[in-house]
Amino acid sequence: MGDQNELAKAFKSLHVPGDPIVLANTWDAITAKAIGSLPETKALATASFAVAAAAGLEDEELTLEVNLTAIRAIAKVAKALNKPLTADFQDGFGDKLEDGIREVVRAGVVGINLEDFGRELGERGELYPVEVAQDRIRRVMKVAADQGVPDFVINARTDALLVGKPISEAIERGKAFLEAGASNVFIWGGRERGGTTRAEVEEASKALNGKLNVSMMRMAPGGLSLKELKEIGVARISVGPQIMRKTQVFVAEEAKKILDGVPAF
């Protein structure tokens, strides 16, 4: 586990406000190898939406078992490449949180995304109370430390904006999550809301001392660029399932050429 914690330390050190770690999210061993083999790739990261889609599921239908299967396959690639791997662990899968984290750490993962929106709460899910969300972060860090990875990296996601809360509340939740042991905060804006505005990103980055993850929109016009996000001072950038969505278009186009008898050359 010593080598794994060294990878965790290395991954944590890549979160530098103004010089962020950029993660091109993957969802299976094939994409992990393609992305991880690039010299520009400093670490690998999974995207739960893409992992679910690859299994024929909606994001909210993703089970711990299906997620772990994908994580283990990607972890083998990360280990072979000697690069850190962080996994999208959604809301922690309810009361399976500790057991799931043990399996994730055993697979070689050095960090996770952990959401504060509990799918098991109420009829349609709702935000965990701040104190409960903090406790879940502490529980993850304890399990990871017990497994020999005390420098485990939690990217704590808040869905406060998605349920109609203001950016100020999302920031306060983020501060509480950092206090509980998270390394970074991800304030998710969501497709329905149209993401987060530049003003919101700037406010959050300043309030959280740059310990902010932003999803960089590559497939929609008007999104903040890498240069702009560096200037704002964020520490982490990801792209979620955007690469997966783009590959779907490419695969369909190539398949159509084959089915139409278009010559390869």
Side-chain angles (χ1 to χ4, degrees):
M1 283 296 178
D3 290 342
Q4 188 172 347
N5 196 57
E6 289 304 309
L7 275 178
K9 287 181 180 179
F11 182 52
K12 186 181 291 187
S13 73
L14 294 171
H15 294 69
V16 180
D19 186 21
I21 172 68
V22 181
L23 300 166
N25 302 74
T26 183
W27 59 95
D28 61 14
I30 295 173
T31 53
K33 188 172 183 179
I35 293 169
S37 296
L38 297 172
E40 295 86 355
T41 297
K42 305 303 180 185
L44 287 164
T46 73
S48 71
F49 187 101
V51 168
L57 303 170
E58 296 297 324
D59 193 34
E60 62 272 13
E61 296 174 329
L62 183 64
T63 64
L64 173 59
E65 291 71 24
V66 172
N67 199 25
L68 284 174
T69 296
I71 289 169
R72 290 179 181 124
I74 294 167
K76 289 180 181 178
V77 176
K79 183 177 181 180
L81 296 170
N82 195 34
K83 291 185 177 181
L85 170 62
T86 180
D88 190 340
F89 210 61
Q90 294 191 322
D91 61 359
F93 301 95
D95 58 8
K96 298 178 181 178
L97 178 65
E98 278 97 337
D99 289 341
I101 293 301
R102 287 188 192 94
E103 292 302 315
V104 162
V105 175
R106 286 170 185 161
V109 173
V110 300
I112 60 165
N113 267 32
L114 185 65
E115 302 169 12
D116 66 352
F117 185 88
R119 288 166 176 76
E120 81 280 9
L121 303 180
E123 292 185 5
R124 298 185 177 180
E126 58 187 56
L127 294 178
Y128 286 111
V130 172
E131 296 78 9
V132 175
Q134 285 182 304
D135 181 61
R136 290 170 71 79
I137 290 170
R138 294 188 184 104
R139 285 159 58 192
V140 168
M141 292 304 296
K142 183 179 186 307
V143 170
D146 289 346
Q147 294 287 106
V149 191
D151 290 286
F152 199 73
V153 178
I154 296 179
N155 188 42
R157 169 176 147 174
T158 177
D159 284 9
L161 297 182
L162 266 68
V163 298
K165 305 294 184 182
I167 186 67
S168 58
E169 184 162 338
I171 290 170
E172 288 308 307
R173 292 180 76 89
K175 288 180 178 178
F177 300 161
L178 292 173
E179 181 185 335
S183 298
N184 218 58
V185 175
F186 181 18
I187 298 176
W188 178 228
R191 287 177 294 166
E192 297 81 3
R193 186 178 181 272
T196 51
T197 66
R198 180 182 184 118
E200 288 171 334
V201 174
E202 289 175 340
E203 182 179 352
S205 182
K206 182 177 180 181
L208 298 170
N209 297 316
K211 295 180 179 180
L212 182 68
N213 180 172
V214 175
S215 180
M216 182 169 59
M217 295 302 296
R218 296 281 297 166
M219 294 181 66
L224 293 170
S225 67
L226 175 58
K227 181 176 181 293
E228 289 171 314
L229 289 170
K230 284 183 175 181
E231 291 171 349
I232 290 171
V234 306
R236 174 165 166 159
I237 297 169
S238 54
V239 296
Q242 292 181 75
I243 297 175
M244 183 269 294
R245 289 197 176 105
K246 199 165 185 177
T247 61
Q248 287 179 291
V249 176
F250 173 78
V251 169
E253 290 174 347
E254 290 302 303
K256 188 175 188 311
K257 291 176 186 177
I258 293 168
L259 295 171
D260 289 344
V262 177
F265 302 101

